[in-house]
Amino acid sequence: MSLEEIADILLRGAARHGATAADVVVAEGDALTVGVRLGAVEKVQRARGKHLGLRAFAGERSAILSTADFSPAALAQLAADAVALARVTAPDPFSGLPDAAELATAPPTLDLFDPAVGEVTAEQATEWCLAAETAARDADPRITNSEGAEFDGGSHLVLYAASNGFSGSYRSSSCSLSCVPVATHDGGMERDHWYSVQRYLARLESPESIGRTAAARALRRLGARQVATCECPVVFDPDMAGSLLRHLAGAVSGGAIYRGLSFLAGKLGQTIAPASLSVYDDGLLADGLGSKPFDGEGLPTRRTPVIEDGVLTSYLCDTYAARKLSCRPTGNAARSVGDSPHVSPTNFFLPAGTATPEAIIGSVRQGLYVTELMGFGVNATTGDYSRGASGLWIENGQLTYPVSEITIAGNLLQMLRDIEVVGSDLVLRHSIAAPTLKIARMTVAGT
């Protein structure tokens, strides 16, 4: 029985038991994880699974049930139970499937699936992990230990069908290779990492390159010290700049907006950043890690300007959030088999600027280059931001010595306004990504 036939059985079953509407998500996939440490294999895991979830509506009431049992008897019982459960839940006038007119009618092909990822053997993955770790350990005598190297790869098939007439499916794949060496010198010990993530196996960085980069990052942390508390320019490397964008993605989520849990609530149409700055959510990027041909409600994904020329132009909404906010959904519904749809970004990124990272660092007389952030000191409602950090101190435009055990503090709204330079080094290593960013001034708390 095909996944389409299974979905059809569930939708018809729910209707027979009195559901006024229903939708089904079916997900199947396989995954391989291999980890090595100090030249020995520590972990080999291969998993295959198939699950589905049925959401049934009884007017304004709804319920979701999920199962991994695809037998006809189990499917029939699931449909009956979902409708019965929906009838006893509290009504919600904003719930329900999207209007049929909103549905994706011609989902695009987005180049999301590489069959080679699913063909990787444990032996091949082990070889790549060992090569990465060996390259890191051979890079310098001060690399004295390793927390290991790991390969993860998997492919997935997702099908979504609903009683409003939508039915679609797509395959996707992803793979990653990472390495975490440990460096020691003069009694000090530091660790760092590097990694590569892609949808296509052939596009991963070589194991040797990943190992050498990870070693260089660990070595540059040796001899870290604190700095005196001050206010100064702060330069975020691309991964740390991406973490700032994750806070922004949460702040423009329709769910956070209608709950009043965002520092950007009520600021639509206002200037919140320099005129040179824009941020987009784009679910249509070819082979993007957040791309998909339709969202978790069957609506078309699209390119949404979130900040354009410094102005907050859009929130991200699924159907429920859009109804709460009296606006249109933006194709940002995400749904697992066992949960209701929720708002999630697709490829959420700040486009590259023109300044190289070296030029940005060179523009700082005295400041901080952040390479790691720790802790959870961010208030999404007020935007207050305070996190543990480490990185490198900048003196007269040069990276000088590593710093650690410091805290950087500010306010996310003010930090957006104070973005002074955008780097040219955007790499879509995650679905949320940014290039190097320089913020004009933040509080750095040290000694």
Side-chain angles (χ1 to χ4, degrees):
M1 192 159 45
S2 71
L3 299 186
E4 288 80 3
E5 290 170 326
I6 290 170
D8 185 59
I9 287 171
L10 282 170
L11 293 177
R12 287 190 286 110
R16 262 198 316 276
H17 288 285
T20 55
D23 63 359
V24 178
V25 174
V26 188
E28 67 174 7
D30 61 80
L32 171 67
T33 299
V34 174
V36 307
R37 181 175 177 273
L38 297 175
V41 176
E42 280 203 328
K43 175 170 58 179
V44 177
Q45 297 175 344
R46 186 177 284 281
R48 291 188 175 89
K50 185 164 63 174
H51 300 81
L52 65 81
L54 170 66
R55 180 172 57 153
F57 292 89
E60 295 179 348
R61 306 170 190 270
S62 66
I64 298 176
L65 293 180
S66 62
T67 184
D69 185 348
F70 282 51
S71 66
L75 298 179
Q77 189 62 51
L78 186 77
D81 290 347
V83 178
L85 187 59
R87 289 194 174 106
V88 299
T89 61
D92 185 341
F94 298 100
S95 67
L97 300 178
D99 295 336
E102 304 267 13
L103 297 174
T105 55
T109 300
L110 295 174
D111 212 14
L112 306 179
F113 178 63
D114 177 11
V117 173
E119 295 168 1
V120 174
T121 64
E123 290 76 13
Q124 287 175 314
T126 301
E127 183 180 324
W128 297 332
C129 291
L130 290 172
E133 189 184 52
T134 299
R137 297 176 68 188
D138 289 348
D140 191 284
R142 292 171 294 172
I143 301 295
T144 56
N145 206 336
S146 168
E147 293 187 6
E150 185 166 308
F151 173 87
D152 290 283
S155 57
H156 308 277
L157 171 63
V158 176
L159 178 142
Y160 176 77
S163 59
N164 58 11
F166 183 86
S167 180
S169 64
Y170 61 90
R171 286 187 180 277
S172 63
S173 60
S174 65
C175 51
S176 67
L177 182 62
S178 62
C179 183
V180 188
V182 177
T184 55
H185 186 63
D186 286 343
M189 179 182 296
E190 296 287 350
R191 58 177 285 282
D192 210 322
H193 72 287
W194 192 240
Y195 61 97
S196 177
V197 186
Q198 293 285 347
R199 287 204 181 275
Y200 277 70
L201 188 65
R203 297 175 189 168
L204 278 179
E205 290 180 37
S206 74
E208 293 78 12
S209 172
I210 291 169
R212 287 192 293 268
T213 302
R217 289 170 61 90
L219 289 167
R220 74 179 183 178
R221 296 175 63 127
L222 287 171
R225 50 181 132 149
Q226 286 184 287
V227 292
T229 298
C230 63
E231 286 193 357
C232 63
V234 175
V235 179
F236 290 78
D237 80 1
D239 276 3
M240 298 306 101
S243 78
L244 296 181
L245 229 58
R246 279 191 280 280
H247 295 306
L248 178 62
V252 298
S253 163
I257 297 297
Y258 74 70
R259 292 184 181 93
L261 299 177
S262 169
F263 65 94
L264 293 179
K267 291 188 168 48
L268 202 60
Q270 296 184 17
T271 297
I272 62 167
S276 58
L277 190 138
S278 296
V279 173
Y280 298 95
D281 183 78
D282 191 344
L284 299 174
L285 292 180
D287 79 11
L289 290 167
S291 298
K292 47 192 174 183
F294 52 84
D295 77 353
E297 297 178 310
L299 303 189
T301 50
R302 65 183 194 182
R303 180 180 175 92
T304 302
V306 175
I307 298 175
E308 199 154 40
D309 301 330
V311 176
L312 180 61
T313 52
S314 180
Y315 298 132
L316 302 181
C317 290
D318 59 4
T319 297
Y320 187 87
R323 287 171 180 160
K324 295 282 279 187
L325 296 172
S326 300
C327 61
R328 301 285 295 276
T330 55
N332 285 95
R335 160 113 191 253
S336 66
V337 295
D339 294 313
S340 298
H342 62 277
V343 179
S344 178
T346 56
N347 301 294
F348 190 86
F349 65 99
L350 193 158
T354 57
T356 64
E358 294 77 15
I360 294 175
I361 292 167
S363 72
V364 177
R365 189 179 68 81
Q366 188 175 60
L368 177 67
Y369 180 64
V370 180
T371 61
E372 186 174 12
L373 292 165
M374 294 147 277
F376 304 95
V378 180
N379 186 321
T381 304
T382 64
D384 290 340
Y385 182 94
S386 177
R387 300 192 66 187
S390 61
L392 296 144
W393 192 248
I394 305 170
E395 288 280 356
N396 298 319
Q398 299 290 323
L399 297 176
T400 54
Y401 55 85
V403 293
S404 63
E405 299 182 37
I406 57 173
T407 300
I408 58 173
N411 179 275
L412 287 168
L413 186 55
Q414 190 60 48
M415 290 161 68
L416 276 170
R417 290 171 173 153
D418 286 348
I419 291 177
E420 200 169 78
V421 189
V422 176
S424 59
D425 53 344
L426 176 68
V427 178
L428 296 175
R429 203 187 312 277
H430 298 281
S431 59
I432 299 178
T436 297
L437 294 178
K438 176 187 175 186
I439 294 180
R441 188 158 293 271
M442 292 182 68
T443 298
V444 176
T447 56

